[in-house]
Amino acid sequence: MSAPRLKSKLLVQAGLRQCMALGIMATVARSGDDDAGAVYLKINRLGPGFTILALARELDGSLAWRSRTGEAPVPEEEADAVLERERRIDPDIWVLEIEDREGRNPLEGALFL
């Protein structure tokens, strides 16, 4: 039997609250399936570019954020192209857009993951 999973909509809402608590601007750029849509972060570094992170389940069942755009920030057009490819594969994705000059992932290590 698999472990219970947090619904995607609740995860995104918790992410918004986490960002708010840290003083980081965030918005839901795309709403997906409330129950099981994949969750992506579009991190805007406000100059250097964007990073796309995808929430993925590890072999041990834990959740981890994986870069979909590589190590260095990319232009917004490239970031949007990555998200569009993902949307074509799975139309139920969620995208949480975060503005942070340092490119931090405010959801990394969050207790609700």
Side-chain angles (χ1 to χ4, degrees):
M1 183 149 102
S2 64
R5 296 183 182 187
L6 191 60
K7 293 185 179 200
S8 298
K9 183 176 182 177
L10 292 175
L11 178 66
V12 171
Q13 289 173 335
L16 283 171
R17 286 188 173 270
Q18 177 77 0
C19 289
M20 187 184 313
L22 295 171
I24 296 173
M25 180 64 120
T27 186
V28 177
R30 178 175 174 76
S31 298
D33 181 76
D34 287 355
D35 296 330
V39 178
Y40 293 85
L41 302 182
K42 179 182 177 183
I43 301 176
N44 180 350
R45 298 204 49 193
L46 303 172
F50 293 76
T51 301
I52 303 296
L53 300 176
L55 188 58
R57 195 157 297 278
E58 299 289 336
L59 292 175
D60 66 0
S62 65
L63 292 172
W65 294 99
R66 298 284 174 235
S67 177
R68 303 292 289 143
T69 51
E71 294 291 321
V74 299
E76 186 169 22
E77 298 78 25
E78 191 174 329
D80 287 341
V82 168
L83 291 170
E84 178 58 25
R85 282 192 302 273
E86 296 295 335
R87 188 204 58 77
R88 276 191 249 125
I89 294 167
D90 177 8
D92 295 325
I93 69 170
W94 287 83
V95 178
L96 184 61
E97 186 164 350
I98 297 167
E99 292 182 357
D100 184 58
R101 288 189 193 285
E102 296 175 32
R104 295 172 293 173
N105 175 357
L107 307 183
E108 185 71 48
L111 294 177
F112 52 83
L113 292 178

